[in-house]
Amino acid sequence: MKGRILEAARRIFGEYGFHGTTTRMIAQEVGIDISTLYYHWGEKADLYEAVVLDIYEDLRRKLSEVERAVQGKPLARRMEIALDTMTEYLFEHPEISNLILFRYFAKTRHASPLDFRVPELMGNIAYSMGLVADKKHMPVDARMKMLAVMNTIHSFVSGQNFFMPLLDIDRETYLPQVKETLKFLLIPPFLDLAGRIKVKKAGEKKAGEIGAGNDRS
Amino acid sequence: MKGRILEAARRIFGEYGFHGTTTRMIAQEVGIDISTLYYHWGEKADLYEAVVLDIYEDLRRKLSEVERAVQGKPLARRMEIALDTMTEYLFEHPEISNLILFRYFAKTRHASPLDFRVPELMGNIAYSMGLVADKKHMPVDARMKMLAVMNTIHSFVSGQNFFMPLLDIDRETYLPQVKETLKFLLIPPFLDLAGRIKVKKAGEKKAGEIGAGNDRS
DNA sequence: GAATGTTTCCATCAGTTGCTGGAGAGAAAT
DNA sequence: ATTTCTCTCCAGCAACTGATGGAAACATTC
């Protein structure tokens, strides 16, 4: 039951945000009384926090999966796979993107103890993209780049119902368009960067690991 | 008075969203009774719509200004100026970015009559960036690119209070970092694109207007 | 200065919100 | 069989929500 409530809460919070969601909406979605909800999860803010923690965990898992899937591939291909996979995944679970974007302007924040997970998420994927050598210690500019990439995807997912009528296209056209746009925007800068790092490194020591030998199509 | 209410409503709606804002919060911000608010603006949804219309107008004005400012400059410089100017502007008026992002998942939508302004905004700036030849008729992929650019900026502005502690930097470091990241991400793809279009056009007719002769640093 | 129109506030409404006490229903342990 | 424990619901609370009617204050016109 506790799990069923969490699952419903994910959907509703993801769709209406914290303030737009009432505990009665969630209870009704599950088909239970609100008292049962309070019995399992305590106050609304606690349930919300559990939801956010849950989606962060999902995101972390998916990113690890991607990280493994791209190992050994050249950078351009790595980014293609990562972007495609994450885009597809988030389109299947739009509440993840919604909840993450909702958090950006949430006044409901009491400096949640789960924010420490975000740098970790960024670190892993940045490492996997050959942006940094050290998984633990990321320079600010590398983190910014990761944030930008994630935000761009999230915006397209969260904004889909807003953008589709605006562009006058349906979902089947929208998704590939998003993928294409993401690849268009995000791959060239990182290839450039990898090229620069490679050249720089080659002048010092061996050029390993990063940007495994490939140039732009 | 009507104007003062609108101004306050912009701030509060931009900070707490539609559901997170109460009419009493706005009235208190102005220092008036809620009846006065209802007298001038009618129901809450109407005021909200007026606010959204207002920020779209501001955005349109600023984009026109940018469009004029970059005329005649080479593409890379054009994008630099546009990104810097818009970033600075939106950081000064974060409620604009907030309200736009809020709209992405707004269930409060009754197919507002102001959405027609968005393609117009995109058209102007895309034309100014040499992405399209015809201001009125934009292909879907060009619109997607514009949306991506705008969304990336908005995310950084709206997420500033979330990201700054995350990156462990203060506002004075954050703003230039955002600018740098935006330029890193967004300029190379468009330079590549302009290069391709230029080459293609040169093979057919004269290569004018687009990508006025410059290559990457 | 009387009449008219505009703007402001006070008091109040009905409905909704987050949340709780207490009474059962059902199973498990004694 | 009784006690104990976990779970679920009903009923209801106080606070807050969006919204309104009507009385004053104020300004404008005649």
Side-chain angles (χ1 to χ4, degrees), chain A residues 22-24 34-35 38 44:
Chain A
T22 69
T23 50
R24 281 170 176 82
I34 51 162
S35 301
Y38 278 93
K44 187 185 174 185

Side-chain angles (χ1 to χ4, degrees), chain B residues 1 31-33 35-36 39-40:
Chain B
M1 173 54 62
I32 55 165
D33 190 89
S35 301
T36 307
Y39 171 78
H40 284 287

Side-chain angles (χ1 to χ4, degrees), chain A residues 5-194:
Chain A
I5 297 175
L6 187 71
E7 188 201 7
R10 252 177 85 133
R11 277 201 306 277
I12 310 281
F13 275 131
E15 197 160 1
Y16 300 93
F18 182 79
H19 292 295
T21 300
T22 69
T23 50
R24 281 170 176 82
M25 286 163 76
I26 300 171
Q28 195 179 23
E29 176 90 355
V30 186
I32 55 166
D33 190 88
I34 51 162
S35 301
T36 307
L37 187 149
Y38 278 93
Y39 171 79
H40 285 287
W41 287 103
E43 58 180 58
K44 187 185 174 185
D46 290 342
L47 175 56
Y48 186 72
E49 192 146 332
V51 164
V52 175
L53 220 115
D54 192 50
I55 64 129
Y56 268 100
E57 179 56 25
D58 278 11
L59 199 57
R60 192 197 58 73
R61 220 191 329 258
K62 195 69 189 177
L63 283 173
S64 298
E65 190 189 313
V66 169
E67 202 184 345
R68 280 196 305 277
V70 301
Q71 269 175 7
K73 303 215 161 51
L75 178 57
R77 187 82 195 108
R78 249 183 290 171
M79 290 211 61
E80 262 178 45
I81 294 175
L83 290 174
D84 280 350
T85 312
M86 289 314 293
T87 305
E88 273 166 32
Y89 179 70
L90 290 173
F91 264 93
E92 278 165 30
H93 306 276
E95 79 275 11
I96 297 180
S97 289
N98 287 352
L99 283 162
I100 286 177
L101 285 193
F102 268 131
R103 274 185 81 68
Y104 287 178
F105 20 63
K107 289 287 163 187
T108 324
R109 293 188 62 209
H110 20 266
S112 167
L114 57 84
D115 292 343
F116 74 94
R117 284 170 173 269
V118 181
E120 182 201 330
L121 293 182
M122 291 193 298
N124 286 353
I125 196 74
Y127 176 77
S128 145
M129 290 305 137
L131 247 184
V132 291
D134 185 0
K135 227 171 177 174
K136 299 293 168 195
H137 181 69
M138 282 182 73
V140 172
D141 67 299
R143 296 193 202 192
M144 293 287 292
K145 283 160 191 161
M146 282 302 104
L147 283 177
V149 172
M150 297 293 281
N151 286 341
T152 310
I153 308 181
H154 290 318
S155 298
F156 273 128
V157 176
S158 289
Q160 57 180 312
N161 294 319
F162 188 82
F163 298 144
M164 273 161 36
L166 209 83
L167 300 163
D168 195 29
I169 57 180
D170 56 15
R171 207 191 139 97
E172 273 152 44
T173 320
Y174 184 67
L175 190 106
Q177 278 286 344
V178 168
K179 287 185 185 175
E180 214 176 301
T181 306
L182 289 172
K183 288 183 229 166
F184 165 81
L185 269 185
L186 302 176
I187 296 185
F190 287 101
L191 287 185
D192 284 4
L193 182 64

Side-chain angles (χ1 to χ4, degrees), chain B residues 9-97:
Chain B
R10 250 177 86 136
R11 278 201 305 278
I12 310 281
F13 274 131
E15 197 160 359
Y16 298 94
F18 182 79
H19 292 295
T21 300
T22 70
T23 50
R24 281 169 176 83
M25 286 164 75
I26 301 170
Q28 196 179 23
E29 176 90 354
V30 187
I32 55 165
D33 190 89
I34 53 162
S35 301
T36 307
L37 187 150
Y38 278 93
Y39 171 78
H40 284 287
W41 287 104
E43 58 182 60
K44 186 185 175 187
D46 290 342
L47 175 56
Y48 186 72
E49 192 146 332
V51 163
V52 175
L53 220 115
D54 192 50
I55 64 128
Y56 268 99
E57 179 56 25
D58 279 10
L59 199 57
R60 193 198 56 73
R61 221 191 329 258
K62 194 69 191 177
L63 282 174
S64 298
E65 189 189 313
V66 169
E67 202 184 347
R68 280 195 305 278
V70 300
Q71 270 175 6
K73 302 214 162 52
L75 179 58
R77 187 83 194 108
R78 247 184 290 173
M79 291 211 60
E80 262 179 44
I81 295 174
L83 290 174
D84 279 350
T85 312
M86 290 313 296
T87 305
E88 272 166 32
Y89 179 70
L90 290 173
F91 264 94
E92 279 165 30
H93 306 275
E95 78 276 11
I96 296 180
S97 289

